Amino acid sequence: MRATLDFLLYDWLDAAALNGRPRFAEHSRETFDAVLDACERLARERFAPYNRLSDTEEPRFDGERVHLPQATHEAMRAYVESGMLAAAHDYELGGMQLPCVVEMAARSFFSAASVSMSGYAMLTQGNANLLLAHGSPRQKQVFARNELAGRWFGTMCLSEPQAGSSLSDIATRAIPDGDDHAADPLGPRYRLKGHKMWISAGEHELSENIIHLVLAKIPGPDGRTIPGVKGISLFIVPKHLVDAEGRLTGERNDVALAGLNHKLGFRGTTNTLLNFGEGRYPVRGQAGAIGYLVGAPGQGLACMFHMMNEARIGVGLGATMLGYAGYLAALEYARQRPQGRPVGPGGKDPAQPQVPIIEHADVRRMLLAQKAYCEGALALELYCARLVDEQRTGTPQAADDARLLLEVLTPIAKSWPSEWCLEANSLAIQVLGGSGYTRDFPVEQYWRDNRLNMIHEGTHGIQALDLLGRKVVMEGGKGLALLAGRIRDAVARAAQLPALAGCAQALGEALERLEQATRAAWSSGDPVVALANATPYMQAFGHVVLAWIWLDVATCATRGEPDDFRRGKLAAARYFFRYELPKIGPWLAVVESRDTTCLEMQTTWF
Amino acid sequence: MRATLDFLLYDWLDAAALNGRPRFAEHSRETFDAVLDACERLARERFAPYNRLSDTEEPRFDGERVHLPQATHEAMRAYVESGMLAAAHDYELGGMQLPCVVEMAARSFFSAASVSMSGYAMLTQGNANLLLAHGSPRQKQVFARNELAGRWFGTMCLSEPQAGSSLSDIATRAIPDGDDHAADPLGPRYRLKGHKMWISAGEHELSENIIHLVLAKIPGPDGRTIPGVKGISLFIVPKHLVDAEGRLTGERNDVALAGLNHKLGFRGTTNTLLNFGEGRYPVRGQAGAIGYLVGAPGQGLACMFHMMNEARIGVGLGATMLGYAGYLAALEYARQRPQGRPVGPGGKDPAQPQVPIIEHADVRRMLLAQKAYCEGALALELYCARLVDEQRTGTPQAADDARLLLEVLTPIAKSWPSEWCLEANSLAIQVLGGSGYTRDFPVEQYWRDNRLNMIHEGTHGIQALDLLGRKVVMEGGKGLALLAGRIRDAVARAAQLPALAGCAQALGEALERLEQATRAAWSSGDPVVALANATPYMQAFGHVVLAWIWLDVATCATRGEPDDFRRGKLAAARYFFRYELPKIGPWLAVVESRDTTCLEMQTTWF
C-alpha cells in the first residue's frame, strides 16, 4: 500500500512540487515522508491491533457514562499527540501547513487500520475546519483551536428522528437566551430544544469536552419557524460550558444522551440519539441547551455544507481504505492458501501438489477487481485532496477551476468507493471462502463497516440527485465541461501510447455517451423525469471518472522502467477498461431513454 | 408473499394438475393448500419470532455440550411433529407423497422465517434422500427412516481443513474394522480417522442422534490411497452407535467436536470442526470412528452429489427467501416512513406534509429491483422443483429432459439468488437508511446470513466452472439446447402479446448471444482459456435464465383480469428487461473475446 501511495503522490500527482508554493515552502518530500512514516507506524501500532476489539467491545451506556475500550482512549491520545488533527492548518493555529493531499495520504493509514476508531478524529477536524471558515474570531480561538489541539472533540448534528434526508423538516428550535443574548463573547446565545438522531461521536469520554455543531430553526416573532431549509441556522453547543477564554466553567450543558444505536458495523464510533434542552441538565436554573450562533441566521445549511463536503470526501476515503485493507488481507491469504491444481492438457493431475489459490484465474479476477476498485478510488480521493490544495494555493483561475471540479466530483468521491469498495470487501470474503465468513479473519468486519458508507453523509440516492440535479447543470454546466476537458486531455496523452491507445479511445467514447445522456436526461426539462434514473446515471458517471483516473495513472506508469509494480498498475487499468467500463452501457440506456418503469410503478402493485 | 406463491404454483406451474398422476392421486389443491397454510402458520409462530435470538444467542460449546436457544429446540420439535421432513416421500416411508414443488413452496416459509434454524431440517432431509437413493435396504430402514421421522438429524461431511473446494485432497482414511467387517448388517464396517471442517449441524442436542455422511478414502493393500476423487468413498457415521433395528446401543462413536466456527451470520446453524477417530471416545477399546460404507468403494463423490445437487437448490431457495424477507421488510417500512416531498413545477413546497418514501422514484427503483430479484428467483426454484417432479413422475422422455435441464439449471439455481438476493438485502438496508444499519430491524441480519450462500455447497467460482466446463458441453451440449428450446417456446408465446413483444425479442437476442458466447469460449479448445471467464459467463447465463422466467411469468400474468397484483408482476418483468438483462453485454464481451487479462496477471504484479 505504501508503494502505491508514494507512486500516486509523487509520480502521478507530483506532490513534491508543491513546496514551490509559499504556503508549503518549508516542506519537501523529506518532511512529507516523515509524516507518512510516523502515521503509518502509529496506525500499525495503536489502531490496527485493536480494530476487532472496537467491534466486539461495542460502546456501552450505563445510564450515566459511555464506556469504550481502553485501547480506543490510548489510540486517540496518541493521535492527538502526533499533531495530525491540525496538520494541514496554519503554523499560527498550531498546524504544520501540510498540503491536503499529503494529509489525506497520512489519514489513509488510520482509515485502513481502524475506520471507526479514527472516526472521532475525522469529525473533530471537519468541525474545526467549519468553524475556521464560518466562525467569529472568538469562536475560532476558543472552539476550533481547542479541537485542533485535541483537547475537545467535535460532532455534526443534522438528522432528527423525523428528518433524515429531508433536512427542511428539522424541528429543533433555538430561542434567544435572555436580553443580553446578543452580547455573549462566544456568539449570539440561544437556548436549543430538540432531538438529534444518528449523531456519531455524540457521547464519549475520549476528550475533555464535546463540541456539537447543531442545525436548528429560530422562530420568528409569531413563534413560527420558516418552512424549508431557508429557516435553518447553525449553533455551537458544547457538552460542557466554557468561558470566553476556553476554560470549562464547571457547568454541564443541557445535552443528554437518550441512547446508543446498535449497529451492524462501524461500532468503534459511538452513534447516538441526543436530547437537547429537555431539562436533564438544567443550565442556570432552566431547561434548554446553550448554543452560540455561527454565521448569520438562516445560513446554517450553507455553513454546514462546508463540513458535509469535506465529510463526504472523508467517507469516500474511509470506504476506499476499508476496501484496501480487505484487498491486502485477501492477497496475503491467496498467496499462502494451497487449494486445487491447474488444468493441464490431460486434465488435473491429483498426484501433483496443490497450488496457492492465487494461481487460479477466477481468484486473480477477484483480486484484480479489488485492486482496480481500491487503488482507483484511492487515486480519486487523493486527486480531490490535490484540488483542495489548488483551491487554496493556486492561481485565481486554477483555484476556481478546482472549486468547480470539486463540486462535480464530490458526489462521486463519496458514492463510488461506498459502492465498489464494499463490493471489494465482498470479493475479499469470497477469496477467503469459509474462513472469510468467520470472525477469525478481518474481512467480514470490513464488509460490515463499509456498508454504512452508502448511508451516512447523504445516502446514495441523495448523492445521485445532487450530481444530476445540481452539479452537472450548475453554472450552465461549467463544472461538467471542465471535467470533460480534463478527461479529454488525459485521453489525448494516452492516445500517443501504444499500450493505452485502445483504452483512450474507449474512454473518449464513454465520455461522449455520458455527455449525451446528461442532455437526454434533461431534454424534457421535467426534473421528475430527469431525476427518475439519477442513481444509474451516477453509477455510470462514477465508472467514467474512474476510467479516466485509471487511464491517467496508467499513463504515468508507462514512464520509467517497466517493473512488476508498474505492470500491476497497467494490468489493473486494463481490467477496469475490459470488465468495468462497459457496465456504463446498461446504466446509461435507462437514462437516455428516460425510462419511466420506476416512476410509473404504483404503491399498490408491489 | 403467499399470493405470489399461489400464483406461481397454481397459475404459472399448474401444480394442481399433478394430481392427475398416480403418485399424487390422493392430492388436490385443497390438500396442497392445507400443507401451505400449516407451514405458513408454523413458520410465523415458531420460527420468525426467534430468528434474531438465534443470532444473538450464538451456539456455545462448554467443552462437553453445545448450547442452543430453547426456542430452536422447540421450533425443531414442532417442525418434526408437522411431518414435513418426510412430506415428499412415499406413504410407506411415513411420507405424504407431496409433489416436490409443493414441498418447496412449503419450505420457503421456513427459509424466510429463519434460514439458519431451518438448516437442520434441510440437511436431515438431504441426508435421508441420499440414503434412500444409494443406501442398502437396511441403511434406508435404520438411518433414513429415523431421519425422516425426525428422531435423528443428519449432516454432510465433505470439506477438511486442507481440502475445501478441492475434494480430491481429502485425507480422512477408512480401514476395515475387524475380520467380520463385511458382515455387519448396517453395511461394511470401517474405522475412520480424519478431520472435517465447516460441518453444519455437526453437533447439537436437538435430536437423539446425529447421522454424519462422511467422505473418506480406503487405502489399498500397500496402505496408500488413490489420488484424486476416484479414491473417495462414502460412509454413514452416527454420533451414537445403533443396532440393526435402529436402537441406540449406548455406545458413543469416536466423533468429537474440535470447535465451533464463529460466523458473520447464519448463526442459528452450528458450524463445526469435527475430529473423527482421534480416540476421544474410543469404541470397543480402540480409537477410530465406526462408519458403514454406502454404495460401492470409490463411488462416494457420485453418491454425495445426489445430496449436493439437492442442497444447491436448497441453498438457492434459502438465498431467495432471505432476499424476500428483506424485501417485505423494506416494503413495509417504505409505505410507512414519511420523508421528503415530490418535486413540483416550482420545486419542493416545504409547507406540504412529507410523503411516504415509497413515493420517491429511487425508492421504487430499489423495491422493484428487490421484487424482480426475489420473486424471479422464487419462480426459478419452484421451476426446478417442478422438474424434480417431472423426473420422478413424467413420461420417460419428459423425465430425461427434466434431468438434463436440472443439470444445467442447478448452478444457476444456486448461484443466482446467492448473488442477487444478497444484493436485494443490501437494497433493503438502503431503503431503511440508518435504521437498516441497526440491529433494531431485521434487514442487516438477512444480509449477513445471505453472504454465506455464495460460499457453501460449492463457491460461486466452482458453480461457474461446473456450468461452463461441464453442464453446457455435456452430452454434446444437449442440456443447453434443451434449455434454449424452452426459452424459444416462451419467446414465441410472449411475442404474440403486445405488452411483451419487445421483451420477447430482447430475450431471443440475448439467448443467441449467449449461445454464441458459449461457442466462442470453447473455440480454442483450451479449457484454461475457455474457463478464465467462467464467472462472468455464469452471471450472464443467470440473467438470461431469469429473463426467461420473468417473461414466462409475465405471460401468465396477462391472463385474467388486470388487477394490481398482475400489474405488479408485469412491472417487475419490465424492470428486469430494462435494468437487468442489458447487463449481460459487458459480461459476455469478455467471454466472447476470451479476455486474458486475469490469466496473464502475475502474482508479483499485485
Side-chain angles (χ1 to χ4, degrees), chain A residues 98-123:
Chain A
L98 211 59
C100 279
V101 69
V102 178
E103 191 218 11
M104 182 162 285
R107 256 198 210 190
S108 70
F109 294 113
F110 299 101
S111 295
S114 181
V115 76
S116 66
M117 282 165 73
S118 54
Y120 300 97
M122 307 310 151
L123 284 161

Side-chain angles (χ1 to χ4, degrees), chain A residues 58 161-166 168-169 198 227-228 262-267 327 331 335 337 339-341 343 350-351 354 358-359 361-362 364-365 367-368 371 422 426 429-430 433-435 437-439 444 447-449 451-452 454-455 459-461 527-528 532-533 535-536 564 567-568 571 574-575 578-579 582-583 586 590 595-601 603-606, chain B residues 58 161-166 168-169 198 227-228 262-267 327 331 335 337 339-341 343 350-351 354 358-359 361-362 364-365 367-368 371 422 426 429-430 433-435 437-439 444 447-449 451-452 454-455 459-461 527-528 532-533 535-536 564 567-568 571 574-575 578-579 582-583 586 590 595-601 603-606:
Chain A
E58 192 174 25
Q162 83 296 345
S165 294
S166 180
S168 63
D169 291 285
W198 311 120
H262 296 100
K263 292 175 290 182
L264 166 58
F266 230 104
R267 293 183 186 162
Y327 164 55
L331 188 56
R335 283 186 164 137
R337 167 76 175 170
Q339 194 78 179
R341 296 166 183 78
V343 180
Q354 301 202 68
I358 199 169
E359 298 296 330
D362 197 53
R364 284 199 202 143
R365 180 188 63 81
L367 291 170
L368 255 181
K371 182 179 173 77
L422 175 69
S426 186
I429 292 175
Q430 194 68 22
S435 295
Y437 197 69
T438 69
R439 307 201 294 278
E444 64 85 25
W447 187 63
R448 285 187 289 114
D449 286 356
R451 188 61 189 80
L452 179 60
M454 278 201 284
I455 298 172
T459 64
H460 228 49
V528 175
N533 291 297
T535 297
D564 280 352
R567 285 194 185 95
R574 179 176 155 191
Y575 174 88
R578 301 284 179 89
Y579 288 75
K583 290 180 181 170
V590 293
D595 194 288
T596 53
T597 306
C598 302
L599 265 187
E600 287 166 14
M601 181 71 185
T603 303
T604 51
W605 298 357
F606 280 106
Chain B
E58 193 173 24
Q162 83 296 345
S165 294
S166 179
S168 62
D169 292 285
W198 310 122
H262 296 101
K263 292 175 290 181
L264 165 59
F266 230 104
R267 293 184 187 161
Y327 163 56
L331 188 56
R335 283 186 164 136
R337 167 75 175 170
Q339 194 77 180
R341 294 166 186 79
V343 181
Q354 301 201 67
I358 200 170
E359 298 295 330
D362 197 55
R364 284 200 203 144
R365 180 187 63 81
L367 291 169
L368 255 181
K371 183 179 173 76
L422 175 69
S426 186
I429 292 175
Q430 195 67 21
S435 295
Y437 197 70
T438 69
R439 307 199 295 277
E444 64 84 26
W447 187 63
R448 284 187 291 113
D449 287 355
R451 186 62 189 78
L452 179 59
M454 277 201 285
I455 298 172
T459 63
H460 227 48
V528 174
N533 291 296
T535 297
D564 280 350
R567 286 194 184 96
R574 180 175 156 191
Y575 174 87
R578 301 285 179 89
Y579 288 76
K583 290 180 181 171
V590 293
D595 194 288
T596 53
T597 306
C598 302
L599 266 188
E600 287 166 14
M601 181 71 185
T603 303
T604 51
W605 298 357
F606 280 106

Side-chain angles (χ1 to χ4, degrees), chain A residues 251-549:
Chain A
E251 296 164 293
R252 168 85 193 231
N253 202 356
D254 194 7
V255 183
L257 178 65
L260 294 174
N261 289 309
H262 296 100
K263 292 175 290 182
L264 166 58
F266 230 104
R267 293 183 186 162
T269 308
T270 53
N271 189 275
T272 61
L273 171 59
L274 297 177
N275 290 340
F276 288 85
E278 279 209 325
R280 172 92 166 80
Y281 302 103
V283 184
R284 295 157 204 169
Q286 64 176 103
I290 299 281
Y292 307 99
L293 182 69
V294 179
Q299 293 301 306
L301 206 57
C303 296
M304 193 56 108
F305 262 96
H306 189 278
M307 183 171 181
M308 286 273 280
N309 280 331
E310 196 178 304
R312 285 174 177 177
I313 296 175
V315 167
L317 180 72
T320 299
M321 299 320 295
L322 280 167
Y324 214 126
Y327 164 55
L328 294 178
L331 188 56
E332 186 187 352
Y333 186 90
R335 283 186 164 137
Q336 290 172 3
R337 167 76 175 170
Q339 194 78 179
R341 296 166 183 78
V343 180
K348 294 180 188 179
D349 178 0
Q352 293 297 313
Q354 301 202 68
V355 297
I357 60 172
I358 199 169
E359 298 296 330
H360 301 306
D362 197 53
V363 173
R364 284 199 202 143
R365 180 188 63 81
M366 292 191 280
L367 291 170
L368 255 181
Q370 292 172 65
K371 182 179 173 77
Y373 295 149
C374 302
E375 291 184 1
L378 178 58
L380 173 63
E381 302 303 325
L382 291 173
Y383 187 89
C384 288
R386 181 65 187 75
L387 288 176
V388 174
D389 286 321
E390 203 58 30
Q391 203 180 351
R392 291 188 187 162
T393 65
T395 62
Q397 179 64 49
D400 196 56
D401 285 358
R403 173 193 63 80
L404 251 177
L405 277 172
L406 269 174
E407 292 274 13
V408 177
L409 287 175
T410 296
I412 301 302
K414 195 270 182 185
S415 68
W416 200 87
S418 300
E419 181 169 359
W420 297 99
C421 296
L422 175 69
E423 178 62 21
N425 286 138
S426 186
L427 289 170
I429 292 175
Q430 194 68 22
V431 168
L432 271 75
S435 295
Y437 197 69
T438 69
R439 307 201 294 278
D440 300 330
F441 289 83
V443 289
E444 64 85 25
Q445 184 184 345
Y446 298 145
W447 187 63
R448 285 187 289 114
D449 286 356
N450 219 348
R451 188 61 189 80
L452 179 60
N453 289 316
M454 278 201 284
I455 298 172
H456 65 170
E457 311 301 343
T459 64
H460 228 49
I462 294 291
Q463 302 301 323
L465 293 176
D466 182 44
L467 179 68
L468 181 54
R470 209 171 137 256
K471 298 302 181 59
V472 299
V473 291
M474 66 190 274
E475 303 182 30
K478 209 172 141 193
L480 178 55
L482 198 59
L483 176 64
R486 297 267 171 126
I487 294 177
R488 291 204 165 89
D489 290 347
V491 165
R493 281 192 299 274
Q496 309 300 318
L497 303 167
L500 295 174
C503 295
Q505 191 186 339
L507 178 58
E509 289 165 9
L511 175 62
E512 267 179 43
R513 189 162 176 198
L514 181 68
E515 291 175 313
Q516 194 182 335
T518 311
R519 288 189 296 271
W522 282 106
S523 62
S524 76
D526 179 356
V528 175
V529 174
L531 299 176
N533 291 297
T535 297
Y537 176 82
M538 178 174 73
Q539 291 175 301
F541 199 108
H543 261 51
V544 171
V545 166
L546 266 289
W548 159 54
I549 294 284

Side-chain angles (χ1 to χ4, degrees), chain B residues 173 175 218-225:
Chain B
R173 294 161 70 97
I175 315 280
I218 303 171
D222 59 354
R224 294 167 64 178
T225 56

Side-chain angles (χ1 to χ4, degrees), chain B residues 449-529:
Chain B
D449 287 355
N450 219 348
R451 186 62 189 78
L452 179 59
N453 289 316
M454 277 201 285
I455 298 172
H456 65 170
E457 310 301 343
T459 63
H460 227 48
I462 295 290
Q463 301 301 321
L465 293 176
D466 182 44
L467 179 68
L468 181 55
R470 208 172 136 256
K471 298 303 180 58
V472 299
V473 290
M474 67 190 275
E475 302 183 32
K478 209 171 142 194
L480 178 56
L482 198 59
L483 176 65
R486 298 265 170 129
I487 294 177
R488 291 204 165 87
D489 290 347
V491 165
R493 281 192 300 275
Q496 309 300 318
L497 303 166
L500 295 175
C503 294
Q505 191 186 337
L507 177 58
E509 290 165 7
L511 175 62
E512 268 181 42
R513 188 161 177 198
L514 181 67
E515 291 175 312
Q516 194 181 335
T518 310
R519 288 189 296 271
W522 281 107
S523 62
S524 75
D526 179 355
V528 174
V529 174

Side-chain angles (χ1 to χ4, degrees), chain B residues 193-205:
Chain B
K193 294 191 181 181
H195 311 282
K196 290 290 176 181
M197 185 58 165
W198 310 122
I199 309 309
S200 284
E203 184 56 86
H204 57 74
E205 300 192 346

